[in-house]
């Protein structure tokens, strides 16, 4: 379905709009563009609508794998045992892009690169199983738990993006799911996942920006044609990855990481027949119809456990994206606390600054504790506890004497009864 880039991409100034009647037209059912650092939505079309997203799903798998590495549950050089069904899948003409050999073991890093660059389904599923100690079902549960933790609209049944029509052939269908079940995720949700990946693992772009990479005796080929050497590469767009995807039900999908005016942006297109040309036009439209202004940020004091915690913004100023032609330059700031109890370590996130614009647009900047504060022990409470314990001891002593006297009287009565 051909869609116009809507009036939302046009400026609010009617006089300006009349001189720019020609709008780019491209095919895409869902679109979402956001600023990585602030989380501000710049443009969206059906961005909150859940639908199949194919291999974009692998971004959640890659995030959880890196999380497991950071928590020392896995390491990059660790060998991963790949099951026979996944080896068989890797050799499938339709589902395999990275052939896994019976006689060879692969490291976490090799499988990670294969899932990211070549979009290997077998590699992604093998990574998920490694994270969850060999349990594919448990890993899918972790994917859904992470989505819930981030408050994003997503439901996963697959770590690779394949649906059950393919997974059941390899005995990888989640128990209780229907034969046609598939991942259902909104464009906003998967863009948020991409932002989390890039924030916590920024060097991932050292791999995702490569058009090809050799792993072992195989060459991983990146299907992203926006990268150097690709037919749709434009140097000015500064694209450095991130993930492509396709299934019959999802259509062509693409999430990219790119830079504009020093800001890191994410753009997602779901269900399109022309993702690369559409993405180039989308980037150009964002550039033409939106401008960036800087909003300075200051320190703020939060009350944590009845103590004042001074917090400094993670950055001195954040970017706000406005439509060109818009007269709005003012914004309101609201502070939200994320930490309720001491202790607090210096540099720890204790809250956020929310910069609010009209139309429900917001940007968020983490606030970091300026100093460490230890948890204080209430001496009065401790004294009361000690006093209570002494009274309890005295009470127990008196009670024991009383019980002893009662027992003695009982024996005397019993003796008297026997005498008579």
């Amino acid at each position: 379905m051909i869609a116009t880039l809507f009036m939302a991409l046009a400026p609010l100034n009617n006089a300006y709009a009349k001189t720019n009647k020609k709008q780019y037209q491209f095919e895409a059912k869902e679109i979402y563009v956001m600023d990585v650092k602030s989380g501000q939505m710049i443009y969206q079309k059906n961005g909150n609508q859940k639908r199949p997203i194919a291999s974009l799903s692998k971004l959640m798998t890659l995030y959880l794998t890196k999380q497991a590495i950071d928590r020392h549950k896995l390491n990059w050089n660790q060998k991963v045992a790949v099951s026979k069904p996944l080896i068989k899948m890797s050799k499938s003409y339709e589902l395999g892009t990275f052939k896994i050999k019976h006689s060879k073991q692969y490291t976490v890093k090799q499988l990670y690169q294969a899932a990211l660059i070549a979009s290997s389904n077998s590699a992604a599923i093998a990574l998920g199983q490694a994270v969850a100690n060999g349990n594919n079902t448990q890993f899918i549960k972790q994917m859904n738990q992470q989505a819930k933790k981030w408050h994003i609209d997503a439901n996963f049944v697959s770590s690779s993006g394949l649906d059950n029509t393919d997974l059941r052939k390899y005995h990888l269908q989640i128990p209780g799911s229907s034969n046609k079940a598939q991942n259902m995720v909104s464009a906003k949700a998967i863009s948020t996942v991409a932002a989390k990946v890039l924030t916590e693992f920024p060097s991932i772009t050292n791999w995702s920006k490569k058009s090809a990479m050799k792993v072992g005796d195989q060459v991983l080929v990146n299907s992203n044609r926006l990268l150097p050497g690709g037919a749709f590469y434009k140097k000015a767009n500064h694209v450095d990855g991130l993930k492509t995807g396709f299934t019959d039900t999802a259509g062509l999908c693409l999430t990219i990481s790119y830079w504009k005016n020093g800001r890191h942006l994410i753009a997602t297109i779901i269900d399109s027949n022309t993702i690369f040309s559409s993405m180039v036009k989308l980037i150009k439209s964002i550039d033409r119809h939106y401008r960036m202004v800087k909003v300075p940020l200051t320190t703020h004091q939060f009350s944590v456990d009845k103590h004042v915690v001074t917090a400094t913004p993670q950055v001195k100023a954040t970017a706000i994206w406005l439509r060109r032609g818009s007269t709005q330059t003012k914004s309101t700031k609201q502070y939200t606390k994320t930490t309720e109890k001491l202790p607090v370590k210096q540099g720890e996130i204790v809250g956020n600054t929310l910069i609010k614009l009209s139309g429900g647009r917001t940007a968020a900047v983490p606030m970091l504790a300026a100093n460490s504060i230890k948890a204080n022990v209430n001496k009065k409470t401790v004294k009361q506890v000690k006093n209570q314990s002494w009274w309890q001891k005295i009470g127990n002593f008196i009670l024991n004497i009383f019980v002893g006297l009662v027992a003695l009287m009982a024996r005397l009565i019993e003796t008297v009864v026997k005498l008579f």
Side-chain angles (χ1 to χ4, degrees), residues 299-334:
T299 60
H300 182 76
Q301 291 184 329
F302 294 98
S303 176
V304 178
D305 220 1
K306 296 182 180 181
H307 283 74
V308 174
V309 177
T310 300
T312 58
Q314 194 175 55
V315 291
K316 293 181 178 180
T318 191
I320 296 292
W321 296 86
L322 302 171
R323 294 188 183 101
R324 293 189 185 277
S326 170
T327 56
Q328 178 186 358
T329 56
K330 293 183 179 181
S331 59
T332 59
K333 296 174 188 174
Q334 180 181 335

Side-chain angles (χ1 to χ4, degrees), residues 261-320:
N261 298 328
R263 298 297 295 186
H264 200 176
L265 306 182
I266 287 172
T268 295
I269 285 178
I270 297 176
D271 198 354
S272 172
N273 293 325
T274 58
I275 52 172
F276 300 122
S277 60
S278 294
M279 187 61 80
V280 170
K281 292 174 183 178
L282 175 61
I283 293 172
K284 190 172 183 178
S285 294
I286 294 294
D287 186 37
R288 288 183 62 183
H289 299 299
Y290 284 85
R291 63 189 177 91
M292 183 190 72
V293 296
K294 289 288 185 77
V295 177
L297 302 171
T298 58
T299 60
H300 182 76
Q301 291 184 329
F302 294 98
S303 176
V304 178
D305 220 1
K306 296 182 180 181
H307 283 74
V308 174
V309 177
T310 300
T312 58
Q314 194 175 55
V315 291
K316 293 181 178 180
T318 191
I320 296 292

Side-chain angles (χ1 to χ4, degrees), residues 128-144:
Q129 290 177 338
V131 171
N133 299 315
N135 192 323
N136 182 64
T137 300
Q138 181 60 34
F139 182 73
I140 305 303
K141 184 178 179 180
Q142 288 183 33
M143 295 176 77
N144 287 306

